[in-house]
Amino acid sequence: ATLPVDFRLRQLRRLQAYLLAHEQEALDALHADLGKSAFESYATELGLVYDEIRLYLRKLRQWARPRRVPTPWREIINGWLVDCLVSPLHDSDVNEDGTPKK
């Protein structure tokens, strides 16, 4: 089941606040594990996450709105209650006497 948009927005804001509160710890861990400087860590890790969170906070309601989509043609055909579809004649669609099958 899909969670409500308001819940998702709250969770994104909580994640954003947590990252901001623990940013220095993340920068220190990236330096210890990968040898990245604070600038490089922000530019290639944290900054990208912050940008994504801001984008989701801005666009989530729009993305979650219901929208009309075209019905797939197979669903339309299924609604006709037709057991089979007629195919074009092929060489194998002939009777033993050579006349086309109907």
Side-chain angles (χ1 to χ4, degrees):
T2 300
L3 296 170
V5 172
D6 289 332
F7 173 81
R8 296 186 211 178
L9 290 170
R10 272 194 313 276
Q11 293 299 97
L12 284 168
R13 287 188 197 101
R14 287 181 64 195
L15 175 61
Q16 186 179 40
Y18 180 85
L19 289 173
L20 287 170
H22 298 277
E23 186 174 287
Q24 190 58 50
E25 293 172 45
L27 294 174
D28 293 342
L30 287 165
H31 178 71
D33 291 349
L34 304 175
K36 289 187 174 191
S37 68
F39 175 81
E40 184 183 10
S41 294
Y42 192 89
T44 63
E45 306 288 344
L46 290 175
L48 298 175
V49 173
Y50 290 146
D51 286 345
E52 290 292 311
I53 291 172
R54 279 192 297 273
L55 174 67
Y56 295 160
L57 288 171
R58 201 171 58 247
K59 295 283 191 172
L60 186 60
R61 287 193 190 281
Q62 175 185 341
W63 292 338
R65 262 190 251 144
R67 58 188 171 115
R68 293 182 63 96
V69 294
T71 304
W73 64 271
R74 289 183 185 176
E75 293 297 320
I76 294 170
I77 291 172
N78 286 341
W80 293 345
L81 302 175
V82 176
D83 290 333
C84 65
L85 295 175
V86 179
S87 67
L89 293 177
H90 297 285
D91 293 338
S92 61
D93 291 338
V94 293
N95 294 319
E96 290 179 17
D97 64 356
T99 59
K101 291 182 180 179
K102 293 185 181 181

